[in-house]
Amino acid sequence: MSTTPPSSPSLSQGPAAPKFAPPIHILPNSISKTYALIHPVVLLALLAFRFNALVADPVAELLGNLPFLALLQVAFVMTCLPPAGSAKDDDDKSTSAAILKPGKIGLRRKNTAKSDSGGLSTKLIPAILSLTLTTLLATPVLAILLVLFGAPLTTHHAETLLCAAHMALLTSTALIYVHGVDGSVWKEVWGAQRPADAVWGAALGTCVGAWFGAVPIPLDWDRPWQAFPITILVGAYIGYSVGFGLGRTVLFGKRLRIEENGELAEGKKAD
């Protein structure tokens, strides 16, 4: 009598479903949630308040507002977002907290105060690193992209660089803060394979808004605010706020996927 070995569950069930990365959540406390609502409003209010000065002297205004924008973005990421690797660290801490003391049944290790004392540094160091990488890497890349999309090549160099710096702070500071420098994660970011959240939505909204903001520049209206890069920057700020809001609400957790015929379709919502 012959016997047939049982089939392996992994073979009988077919290939495993792809594991999707979760969206980035705003930190679950009242201060973070409140400031996440206020932050885009503050950025738009700053832009509206200084708009006349921006039209009068774009270079001086963009340069003068750059430190304030950097400070606001650092405050936002430290207040509202988890730094890269924090989820893994939390899992490790919860696991270690559940280990019983040897020789004493039923007693658990108590959490030490080291994690509390290092709370500020675990947020400040990633924030400084994200700001540094944004300045050194994202700003030149966006300046080149602005030129490729029609910005003046032989003139307006200061305007192009400062516009790129503002866009880099809006798009890249939070992305680097929450995702770090993991190459596989950034492939998903550039390939639009990440689920929508406030960070990804704000970055995408900034780029889309800047693209729409370039539309009035060549129109024959002879308005002073049509000068490069005023409308691009206004579109970037508005796009940031709209993308931030949509990423937190109706689009949160959703992703785009490409059908076999090449058309875009709405993907499944990530957990």
Side-chain angles (χ1 to χ4, degrees):
M1 183 177 64
S2 62
T3 59
T4 303
S7 58
S8 174
S10 60
L11 296 178
S12 60
Q13 294 177 358
K19 184 178 180 181
F20 294 122
I24 301 299
H25 293 263
I26 299 296
L27 294 178
N29 59 73
S30 58
I31 296 178
S32 299
K33 293 181 179 180
T34 301
Y35 187 70
L37 294 174
I38 296 175
H39 181 69
V41 178
V42 172
L43 293 180
L44 290 179
L46 177 64
L47 177 66
F49 180 72
R50 301 297 301 177
F51 181 75
N52 290 334
L54 178 65
V55 175
D57 191 348
V59 173
E61 189 63 23
L62 289 176
L63 184 61
N65 286 342
L66 198 59
F68 294 102
L69 177 60
L71 183 61
L72 286 173
Q73 289 299 92
V74 168
F76 166 69
V77 297
M78 292 182 61
T79 304
C80 302
L81 300 176
S86 60
K88 182 180 182 300
D89 294 340
D90 292 340
D91 292 341
D92 295 341
K93 290 178 182 179
S94 62
T95 302
S96 62
I99 299 176
L100 300 178
K101 284 186 177 181
K104 295 184 179 181
I105 301 176
L107 295 179
R108 297 174 181 268
R109 291 178 181 173
K110 295 181 180 180
N111 293 329
T112 62
K114 293 182 179 180
S115 59
D116 297 333
S117 62
L120 180 61
S121 63
T122 57
K123 291 177 175 289
L124 182 60
I125 293 176
I128 294 176
L129 289 176
S130 64
L131 188 62
T132 302
L133 292 177
T134 295
T135 304
L136 297 180
L137 299 180
T139 299
V141 170
L142 285 173
I144 294 173
L145 290 176
L146 285 173
V147 172
L148 292 178
F149 276 91
L153 178 61
T154 58
T155 60
H156 296 78
H157 297 145
E159 289 88 342
T160 301
L161 185 60
L162 289 171
C163 181
H166 278 252
M167 290 181 61
L169 287 172
L170 293 175
T171 58
S172 303
T173 307
L175 282 173
I176 298 174
Y177 182 82
V178 299
H179 296 311
V181 292
D182 189 347
S184 61
V185 174
W186 281 95
K187 287 181 181 179
E188 295 179 354
V189 172
W190 285 104
Q193 298 176 353
R194 301 284 304 182
D197 51 41
V199 176
W200 190 84
L204 181 62
T206 301
C207 297
V208 174
W211 185 69
F212 277 106
V215 173
I217 294 179
L219 299 179
D220 189 16
W221 293 346
D222 295 329
R223 297 291 190 270
W225 50 262
Q226 287 180 265
F228 173 81
I230 297 173
T231 57
I232 294 177
L233 195 70
V234 171
Y237 272 80
I238 295 176
Y240 174 91
S241 302
V242 173
F244 184 91
L246 292 178
R248 284 196 66 194
T249 54
V250 295
L251 297 180
F252 183 81
K254 296 181 180 179
R255 65 180 67 245
L256 295 176
R257 59 187 177 88
I258 302 178
E259 301 287 358
E260 293 182 356
N261 57 5
E263 297 180 353
L264 289 175
E266 183 179 319
K268 296 180 179 179
K269 187 173 182 179
D271 296 332

